[in-house]
Amino acid sequence: MFDAELIAAFYRKETPFYYYDLALLGRTLNAAKTAAESHGFHVHYALKANFNGRVLEYIRDTGFGADCVSGNEVKKAIEMGFDPSKIVFAGVGKSDREIDYALRHDIFAFNVESVQELRVIDGLAAKLGKKANVALRINPNVDAQTHHYITTGLDENKFGISYWELGDAIEALRESDYIELIGIHFHIGSQITDLNVFKSLCIKVNEMNNWFDERGFRLQVLNVGGGLGVDYHQPDIKHVPNFQSYFEIFANFLERKPGQEVHFELGRALVSQCGSLISRILYVKNGIKKNFLILDAGMTELMRPALYQAYHKIERLSPIAAVDNEEQVHYDVVGPICESSDCFGKEVLLPRSARGDLISIRTTGAYGEVMASHYNLRDEIRYVYSDEIV
Ligand code: LLP
């Protein structure tokens, strides 16, 4: 919810733009940090959710590490001042050049997704005369009960090493002189709202932890990935996720061996609610069956509704003090892109709106700006920070 002064400032700006509420970001990060530290847990922020400069500065200053999925993300994290000893590099298809770059910068660890990748890292580390820390990403076959596009921990998914390949992985580790196994890694999906899913994950992690222990590997790190969901329906009520309940599950259900660290890779939960996409109504089309609001933002600025049929709360920002008993109308809220999938919401109930009114699309701090594209040769995405808006 935005106050009248802020809305007036939005009206003075060129649209569309992402608005980042840095105070809310700060509160969210502190809540996560306090909850994690109470159990001695380590958090690596998943850069893929949002790599906007000021957002990253806040996260770095909170003391979190970085979870990267490309060489450019590793580079960005280093340039932004994240400590390389707190950077992990994940991803199912790391190129030789990306691995080489990360090795040269002495990152904390590679989350390795296949036996072949282990051998490639060993070879590249040998050339540099360095030892690479690796955690094996294991596919635990746990259903995250989320959208199938963002489920990653099932047998049918491309991610991680399957149970039946672990023997080969151990053989590769024993044969390699330039690799140090430091841990095991899991990530089963994103936008997980049923916390019981994480209990099932803990049970699999415990099994694997024992399996490696029995084979003489003393693992330093249990990395359980990210995935904690946010409330897209009530951004003003549930603006800070319940990190306490989330971390408590791992504290209660993971069986840590002496000295073992627990690492997390949270993205969405840390940055979603601090971002909103602010857009202007270009045209209103009143039809017989449908009314459309055509915005100046489209799937090129926010891809999630088109790609995953994701729900985001849509609000009309009133240019004047709210009037009681405003007429409410059902609108399909759409963008300007030449695709029918360019739709933010169907039959959205909003006050009767006019050309020039502003619309906010909420909970877009994660996987919003970062997934913007130039399709239709659209402009570069703009953003505005809460402490700079006039
Ligand atoms: N670690 C790994 C290995 C991941 O693949 C991901 C996300 C994360 C951590 C962070 O997950 P989070 O805490 O944000 O759930 N574009 C999609 C989400 C894709 C998530 C990909 N992996 C969306 O807009 O919903």
Side-chain angles (χ1 to χ4, degrees):
M1 214 176 317
F2 306 113
D3 64 28
E5 206 179 317
L6 186 56
I7 292 174
F10 287 166
Y11 268 88
R12 290 192 289 273
K13 293 263 165 216
E14 191 180 351
T15 51
F17 59 86
Y18 275 96
Y19 170 72
Y20 290 119
D21 180 344
L22 296 178
L24 176 56
L25 173 63
R27 287 203 299 283
T28 308
L29 295 172
N30 279 335
K33 182 184 162 97
T34 309
E37 279 181 357
S38 71
H39 302 290
F41 292 161
H42 301 253
V43 177
H44 292 97
Y45 166 65
L47 249 78
K48 66 171 82 63
N50 188 320
F51 38 72
N52 181 287
R54 292 283 305 281
V55 171
L56 285 185
E57 276 171 21
Y58 267 64
I59 294 170
R60 173 201 66 203
D61 292 347
T62 307
F64 292 161
D67 164 44
C68 304
V69 284
S70 70
N72 286 342
E73 281 192 4
V74 174
K75 188 159 176 263
K76 179 85 179 179
I78 291 172
E79 281 168 4
M80 290 301 299
F82 283 83
D83 183 347
S85 73
K86 286 190 191 169
I87 294 178
V88 290
F89 184 12
V92 67
K94 304 175 190 76
S95 72
D96 292 19
R97 191 162 59 88
E98 290 175 315
I99 294 168
D100 182 76
Y101 178 84
L103 283 168
R104 286 177 195 273
H105 286 84
D106 299 317
I107 63 161
F108 174 65
F110 292 84
N111 291 335
V112 172
E113 305 234 6
S114 67
V115 177
Q116 198 169 26
E117 186 190 331
L118 270 180
R119 298 196 192 277
V120 170
I121 294 178
D122 184 50
L124 292 168
K127 276 193 198 150
L128 294 175
K130 290 194 171 196
K131 219 159 190 173
N133 283 341
V134 305
L136 292 184
R137 176 169 182 178
I138 297 168
N139 183 337
N141 197 22
V142 170
D143 188 349
Q145 310 281 349
T146 183
H147 193 285
H148 61 283
Y149 278 14
I150 51 176
T151 291
T152 48
L154 288 176
D155 279 348
E156 68 209 47
N157 298 128
K158 69 179 172 182
F159 299 99
I161 298 174
S162 299
Y163 289 146
W164 60 86
E165 295 168 305
L166 285 174
D168 290 350
I170 285 201
E171 202 177 310
L173 285 167
R174 293 215 159 106
E175 286 167 8
S176 60
D177 296 324
Y178 295 91
I179 284 188
E180 182 78 26
L181 180 69
I182 57 140
I184 44 179
H185 171 238
F186 302 80
H187 174 78
I188 52 172
S190 199
Q191 183 53 16
I192 296 171
T193 49
D194 175 2
L195 293 185
N196 286 315
V197 165
F198 293 115
K199 290 184 192 165
S200 312
L201 171 62
C202 287
I203 290 163
K204 298 280 182 163
V205 177
N206 293 339
E207 267 173 39
M208 278 296 107
N209 195 12
N210 289 333
W211 191 90
F212 278 91
D213 197 66
E214 282 156 15
R215 282 156 185 80
F217 291 95
R218 303 280 166 257
L219 302 177
Q220 175 199 337
V221 173
L222 304 177
N223 182 335
V224 292
L228 176 62
V230 298
D231 194 330
Y232 282 95
H233 290 266
Q234 307 180 81
D236 294 313
I237 299 170
K238 304 268 184 66
H239 50 288
V240 178
N242 192 341
F243 294 108
Q244 243 168 331
S245 312
Y246 169 69
F247 286 124
E248 257 164 33
I249 289 191
F250 294 92
N252 292 337
F253 289 87
L254 272 185
E255 292 159 8
R256 278 185 268 182
K257 303 198 183 294
Q260 259 178 351
E261 295 171 11
V262 184
H263 290 202
F264 292 82
E265 300 170 343
L266 291 174
R268 188 190 311 267
L270 298 176
V271 293
S272 283
Q273 298 293 19
C274 77
S276 299
L277 178 61
I278 310 295
S279 174
R280 201 167 247 117
I281 299 173
L282 291 175
Y283 301 101
V284 181
K285 267 195 182 181
N286 292 314
I288 297 173
K289 288 196 174 157
K290 286 264 184 194
N291 301 305
F292 292 98
L293 295 181
I294 300 167
L295 307 187
D296 62 2
M299 62 194 282
T300 41
E301 283 66 45
L302 178 66
M303 171 89 112
R304 304 192 69 255
L307 190 58
Y308 316 115
Q309 297 78 49
Y311 171 85
H312 285 266
K313 189 168 185 197
I314 298 174
E315 297 165 337
R316 203 275 310 258
L317 301 176
S318 180
I320 44 164
V323 188
D324 283 344
N325 301 326
E326 256 187 309
E327 187 193 353
Q328 303 287 311
V329 180
H330 282 103
Y331 291 107
D332 277 16
V333 181
V334 303
I337 306 302
C338 299
E339 297 252 355
S340 292
S341 58
D342 184 26
C343 176
F344 291 122
K346 288 192 188 293
E347 298 290 321
V348 184
L349 195 60
L350 294 170
R352 182 170 286 286
S353 302
R355 171 174 162 85
D357 287 354
L358 291 191
I359 293 286
S360 71
I361 306 179
R362 305 291 304 277
T363 320
T364 48
Y367 307 111
E369 188 190 334
V370 283
M371 290 173 73
S373 81
H374 287 299
Y375 186 40
N376 286 198
L377 206 52
R378 298 274 292 167
D379 284 342
E380 231 18 90
I381 187 80
R382 280 179 289 273
Y383 42 84
V384 170
Y385 303 113
S386 51
D387 61 355
E388 288 176 359
I389 190 159
V390 281

